[in-house]
């Protein structure tokens, strides 16, 4: 495997290893609890959610409720939406490093924002202490059911023969669907035009109404449309087919250029606290989530949201953030994407 292939594989390895950790092995670390962790927590924990009500908010409430019981303190949800999650993330970065403020973070804010903005009010690599991954989701590339293109290979062939004729709608510039589309363009060497909308809902309406040809959206959002026959999924942007959509091929199965992981886009979520938080408190929070994530009730609740539950070590979460930051920086730079306001 060459250097580029190894870099492309890193995010998938991090996610797979996090998902595959035997829970019982992690329990061993919790058998001897340092004195600091024994006295923690002695007051409610604030859980910042950088998004409005939706799947991420529901996930955070599940995680918070599962942590509250073993910690013996309320975990209070603090919704702080805005700026694609950056307002809430920044607030968490500036919190006291005492373990009483945690935040749920995603790839957009933690791995993509450093390349989308020239200047941030926080540094994802320095201002946070990762605790654990908690869930992941998958992304699909699809067209409306009446579209003449039937397969991903047909799409690529048509795009190469007709550069600039196809377009893809997304929830906005710099959002994961936009970056996923740019990644697909880069790997397959095709020219399709990006059409940003003000949100995923308007983008889907645009697709169904014939304004755009293609869309990339996560599984929970598009699954009802697939089941209703309104859209046709051409490929899942993952290394394997999804159990919920066994007849939808992976991008690799349809297009040779999409090596096993080169077109893969996995949406991940994890909990973090501010940098400088004592290590034994981080380990306590990690151990409690690992225990909770292993419970059938927890897994069922997360799966009902359309997500796959995860648990892993702080080091694995940190490794994933680093690998994803490098990966998306290349795509963002190559597509010349920026969310900075133009100079007046």
């Amino acid at each position: 495997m060459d250097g580029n292939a190894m870099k492309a594989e890193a995010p998938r390895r991090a996610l797979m290893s996090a998902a595959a950790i035997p829970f019982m092995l992690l329990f061993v670390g919790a058998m001897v609890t340092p004195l600091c962790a024994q006295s923690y927590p002695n007051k409610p924990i604030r859980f910042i959610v950088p998004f409005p009500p939706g799947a991420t908010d529901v996930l955070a409430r599940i995680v918070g409720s599962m942590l509250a019981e073993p910690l013996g303190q309320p975990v209070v949800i603090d919704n702080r939406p805005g700026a694609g999650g950056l307002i809430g993330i920044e607030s968490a970065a500036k919190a006291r490093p005492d373990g009483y403020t945690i935040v749920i973070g995603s790839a957009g804010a933690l791995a993509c924002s450093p390349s989308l903005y020239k200047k941030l009010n926080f540094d994802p690599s320095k201002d946070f202490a990762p605790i654990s991954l908690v869930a992941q989701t998958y992304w699909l590339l699809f067209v409306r059911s009446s579209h003449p293109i039937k397969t991903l290979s047909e799409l690529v062939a048509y795009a190469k023969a007709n550069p600039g004729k196809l377009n893809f709608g997304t929830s906005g510039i710099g959002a994961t669907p936009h970056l996923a589309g740019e990644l697909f363009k880069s790997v397959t060497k095709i020219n399709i035009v990006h059409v940003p909308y003000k949100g995923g809902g308007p983008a889907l309406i645009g697709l169904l109404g014939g304004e755009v040809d293609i869309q990339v959206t996560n599984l929970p959002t598009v699954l009802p449309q697939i089941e209703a026959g309104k859209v046709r999924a051409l490929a899942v942007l993952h290394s394997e087919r999804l159990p919920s959509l066994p007849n939808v091929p992976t991008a690799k199965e349809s297009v040779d250029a999409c090596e096993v992981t080169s077109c893969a886009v996995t949406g991940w979520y994890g909990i973090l606290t501010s940098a400088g938080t004592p290590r034994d408190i981080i380990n306590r929070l990690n151990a409690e989530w690992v225990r909770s994530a292993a419970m059938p009730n927890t897994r069922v609740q997360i799966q009902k949201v359309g997500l796959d539950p995860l648990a892993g070590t702080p080091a694995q979460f940190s490794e994933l953030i680093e690998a994803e930051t490098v990966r998306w920086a290349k795509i963002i730079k190559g597509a010349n994407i920026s969310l900075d306001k133009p100079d007046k």
Side-chain angles (χ1 to χ4, degrees):
M1 183 180 291
D2 61 26
N4 291 332
M6 292 178 67
K7 290 180 181 178
E9 176 73 4
R12 179 170 175 265
R13 287 203 313 268
L15 279 170
M16 289 184 66
S17 56
I21 292 178
F23 291 117
M24 290 304 298
L25 292 180
L26 290 178
F27 291 168
V28 175
M31 293 176 66
V32 180
T33 306
L35 181 61
C36 179
Q38 288 179 341
S39 62
Y40 167 88
N42 55 28
K43 62 180 181 179
I45 297 170
R46 180 172 63 136
F47 192 176
I48 296 176
V49 181
F51 300 99
T56 307
D57 176 72
V58 174
L59 172 63
R61 292 176 187 277
I62 295 170
V63 173
S65 66
M66 291 299 149
L67 288 176
E69 183 175 353
L71 290 174
Q73 291 289 340
V75 177
V76 182
I77 299 296
D78 182 4
N79 288 97
R80 297 209 172 188
L86 297 187
I87 291 176
I89 291 288
E90 179 183 345
S91 177
K94 296 179 178 179
R96 291 184 60 182
D98 56 8
Y100 287 98
T101 298
I102 60 176
V103 65
I104 188 164
S106 62
L110 298 173
C112 300
S113 60
S115 297
L116 292 170
Y117 297 90
K118 290 181 180 178
K119 185 177 181 180
L120 290 172
N121 293 324
F122 64 92
D123 186 334
S125 65
K126 296 180 180 179
D127 293 340
F128 292 101
I131 296 170
S132 177
L133 286 160
V134 295
Q136 64 182 348
T137 188
Y138 309 103
W139 296 79
L140 293 98
L141 188 151
F142 57 96
V143 297
R144 61 187 172 278
S145 57
S146 61
H147 201 284
I149 289 177
K150 306 295 185 184
T151 66
L152 194 65
S153 58
E154 286 182 17
L155 186 154
V156 172
Y158 181 87
K160 287 186 175 181
N162 302 273
K165 292 292 182 67
L166 293 176
N167 51 30
F168 70 105
T170 73
S171 54
I173 297 173
T176 300
H178 179 199
L179 301 184
E182 295 295 343
L183 171 65
F184 186 72
K185 286 171 58 177
S186 174
V187 171
T188 57
K189 304 293 190 295
I190 60 174
N191 178 9
I192 55 178
V193 180
H194 176 227
V195 180
Y197 287 83
K198 294 182 178 180
L204 183 58
I205 292 172
L207 178 92
L208 296 176
E211 295 176 355
V212 292
D213 301 292
I214 310 158
Q215 194 173 349
V216 175
T217 299
N218 60 36
L219 177 62
T221 301
V222 74
L223 185 58
Q225 307 299 326
I226 295 173
E227 292 175 340
K230 294 182 179 180
V231 304
R232 180 188 307 115
L234 301 185
V236 55
L237 302 180
H238 188 54
S239 57
E240 299 174 354
R241 294 193 182 199
L242 304 181
S244 55
L245 294 171
N247 295 325
V248 178
T250 66
K252 168 59 181 173
E253 290 178 89
S254 302
V255 180
D256 289 340
C258 289
E259 298 174 357
V260 174
T261 59
S262 62
C263 288
V265 181
T266 302
W268 47 264
Y269 305 89
I271 47 175
L272 311 92
T273 189
S274 35
T277 299
R279 176 54 55 180
D280 52 348
I281 290 179
I282 294 171
N283 290 342
R284 170 79 188 280
L285 289 167
N286 174 269
E288 299 300 359
W289 171 246
V290 168
R291 288 190 183 96
S292 298
M295 298 177 181
N297 181 47
T298 306
R299 303 182 68 80
V300 168
Q301 288 188 62
I302 293 177
Q303 287 167 346
K304 283 183 179 179
V305 187
L307 305 172
D308 279 354
L310 283 180
T313 67
Q316 288 172 322
F317 189 10
S318 179
E319 176 189 344
L320 176 66
I321 294 172
E322 181 180 355
E324 290 273 81
T325 299
V326 172
R327 183 193 195 199
W328 290 118
K330 181 179 179 181
I331 298 301
I332 292 167
K333 182 178 179 180
N336 194 28
I337 304 171
S338 174
L339 293 181
D340 287 309
K341 294 181 179 179
D343 296 330
K344 295 183 178 179

